[in-house]
Amino acid sequence: MSRLRWMSAFLILAGALLIGVQGAQANASAQGVSNDTCLACHGRPGINLTLDNGDIVPLLVDASMFASSVHGQQGFDCVQCHTTLGNYPHPTFHAADRRDFNTQLYRACQSCHQNEYEKTLDSVHEHARAAGVPEAALCTDCHGAHDTRRLTDPQTHELRSDARTWIPRTCAKCHSAIYDKYLTSVHGAALVGEGNADVPTCVDCHGVHDIGDPTTATFRLKSPELCAGCHTDPQRMDKYGLSTQVLNTYVADFHGTTVTLFEKLTPDAVTNKPVCFDCHGVHDIRRVDDPQKGLAVRENLLARCQRCHPDATADFPDAWLSHYIPSPDRFPLVFSVDLFYKILIPGTLGGMALLVGLDVSWQVRSRLRRRKGAPPEAPAPLAGHPDLPAEESAGSANGPPEEPGVPGAPTDGSQEVDHD
Amino acid sequence: MTDPGPAPAPASPKAVADIVRFDVLQRVQHALMLISFTTLAFTGLVQKFATAAVSEAIVRLLGGIETTRIVHRSAAVVLSAVAIYHVVDAAYRVFVLRTPLTMLPLVEDFKHLYQDVMFYLGRRNRKASYGRYSYAEKVEYLAVVWGTLIMGLTGFMMWNPLASVRWFHGQAIPAAKAAHGGEAILAVLAILLWHFYHVHLRHFNKSIFTGRLTRQEMHEEHPAELERIERGAAAPRPPASVLRRRQQIFIPAAVVFVAAAGFGMFRFVTAETSAVAIAPPAETAPIFVPQTPTPTVPPPPSPTPAPVASSTWAGGLGDLLGQRCGACHGASALSGLSLSSYASALQGGTRGPAVVPGDADASVLVQIQSTGNHAGQLTNAELAVIIAWIQSGAPEQ
């Protein structure tokens, strides 16, 4: 019954999908406009569009460029994107300026790439545009229009390693100052310089279509997990001899503890405690032994401390364990203190537990004996002021009246009397 | 430290007065310590084990880690104040009242421990006879003194790391943190195991709250002290004149000490603002710096219109239309219109004849160009020439 229902639901869904796909194709072919038709005009220079501001936009399409693009390779028709242009004369088109021209045309992307488009609605770019910054990136600013390249592997849907190296150049079209810094970083130099796919490209940290605002408190609090994604991965780190203890040691420290708790409890709150990039840099992260900025160089570390602790003195950087786990070689004082307590705590508590255990076992034994009616181990005296001679009690120089007592026995004095 | 209670003369075993063991201020000290220690333990251990789920829940309950730290430090101030008071109180007993230091460990305590162990092992038939404080209590007292000193010192170092590195090596700060955490665990576990066992489980000794123990309890737990009290051997209060003379020295000294300690505490709390309130921005580079100039393909130059020699198709109008419209309406004949020959221009495309000789309004070419929005828009001057040509009958030759 329910299986049948599932089956029919599946069939309906599959059928709907099939009709949808065929519909899309049928739509294009119904227009009966081949790319050759479009290129008959748009393949030659001469067709221009004059914008409202007087700018002239050539409406020329490089046929060979389109043919080598991901859409061209898959045989898409012009009119599948330019759905309103299947007939001639074309409907009237007005654009205030070039940006307006692009902003109107990029909407074509969403008819096929709906998921990606919806993600962009949450992005920092879309928010910027809503706030009146028309330059904020559109699909086509990053992907191109007629020269769109394949970025992911069709099988794995993973970013292709050559695509990883293109991405910084794409972002640089608008963020060139940050790109220049990135090139100086250990990551940027490896990616752009060596084509090393192990290092992060822009989108690994910033995301792809739903690129968030990286200046928010939320992004800052989440960022240690971002760095840790690679820096706690032994497979990646072992290749370069890097420690995977960087997150643990950070979280164990005052700064990291605070940031971790902030992230868990109040993820959008502002804290002045540093995250990875506050010390290591953001786009200009250097090797730790870099003479200019590397944090393994003491002067560089002090300079970093002083950004938040302006009064820090030369000795202050040692207050931070630099991601090391204390050992006899590194931070021996901290190691010794830890060791001292590793001995002191069990030593002290062990002694205490032994005495408590002895007392408990004696109490249990004497209680069992009493229940059996046997005479108590020690005579439980009446509470009074007898004048027995002192035996061994120290501080009883004058022969105090000392009673052999049952000091640890239940406090109810009358019981003791009964047993006497 | 010691408190010579009144020595009641017991009339009979059944009708005995309680023994006063702690005065009001001692009980207040304990109460304040109990509250501040417990607060410190909870708010401190959740920081030490910050990633544990239970810690997270407690920190959330307290309103976040910053509030937790404020609570922790407030409790530390209370405990420090109790410690300062305790020093004054103990000094008064020692220097003014001249009572013996009953809390100090003596050889006797090791003897008592040995006797108790022998007793537990069945080698002795009774436990040791404790004085005012048993070794169990002295161990606790020493642990409190040691613990408070360590926690105060290491706490100060973590609270004021910049000032501390002026006196200690930088590494002392994480070492202080390690000691603070280790000592905390030791203190809390010792309280749970040793203190709770002796005064809660074994026998709920309420004397630190009521100030009193019954004679029976005293007999069981502090027989030697009971005997000393009942013997009248408790240290007598010094005569009033002696007391006054000693107080005249003690009180100014105590005032100086408290003022110094209080000032120290104040500095402790307020001296150092070690860090800026808001972390400086991590990325200082400007965000939007487009690569200049934004590369755009310059529009290719429009073909220069051929000079129109005469108002005929062959005299130049045919060439004009061929150059300006031929991209679409040449060989490809978009919409069926080809302007490559006079005949095809008259024939027109799907929307009708492009050129109707003598009637510009009926010519589709003029109709479309007049909207001013054609992809291959002619200039006004060009259009005027064409209209004039059509009106004059659109001659071919």
Side-chain angles (χ1 to χ4, degrees), chain B residues 141 177 306:
Chain B
Y141 180 75
K177 192 183 172 207

Side-chain angles (χ1 to χ4, degrees), chain A residues 309 316 319, chain B residues 73 152-168 173 176 264-275:
Chain A
H309 303 278
F316 188 68
Chain B
R73 290 170 182 197
L153 178 70
T154 56
F156 171 85
M157 290 166 68
M158 288 194 285
W159 197 334
N160 302 278
L162 290 174
S164 299
V165 291
R166 277 179 224 131
W167 303 319
F168 305 99
I173 308 296
M265 287 262 296
F266 178 74
R267 296 281 297 165
F268 190 130
V269 174
T270 60
E272 188 169 310
T273 313
S274 60

Side-chain angles (χ1 to χ4, degrees), chain A residues 41 88-89 92 174-176 181 252 283 308-309 333 341 359 383-384 391-392 400-403 411, chain B residues 69 120 124 126 171 177 183 197 202-203 215-216 219-220 227 274 276 283 287 289 291 328 351 373-374:
Chain A
C41 301
Y88 194 87
T92 56
C174 290
H175 305 293
S176 66
K181 279 182 105 170
H283 298 107
C308 292
H309 303 278
L333 181 62
Y341 280 98
D359 196 64
E391 209 177 327
E392 285 163 80
E402 188 190 343
E403 293 169 63
T411 56
Chain B
R69 288 200 176 113
Y120 292 135
R124 235 179 92 90
R126 57 192 170 76
Q171 203 191 137
K177 192 183 172 207
E183 193 64 35
Y197 177 72
R202 189 179 199 277
H203 156 215
R215 193 175 169 282
Q216 174 67 32
H219 169 67
E220 284 161 8
E227 181 275 328
S274 60
V276 294
E283 182 52 86
I287 304 299
V289 185
Q291 282 171 339
C328 300
R351 295 175 64 179
N373 193 38
H374 192 63

Side-chain angles (χ1 to χ4, degrees), chain B residues 285-315:
Chain B
I287 304 299
F288 179 60
V289 185
Q291 282 171 339
T292 47
T294 310
T296 49
V297 184
S302 309
T304 317
V308 180
S310 65
S311 256
T312 60
W313 180 270

Side-chain angles (χ1 to χ4, degrees), chain A residues 62-76:
Chain A
D62 182 337
S64 65
M65 180 176 76
F66 177 73
S68 63
S69 77
V70 64
H71 295 132
Q73 284 170 354
Q74 295 183 338
F76 278 87

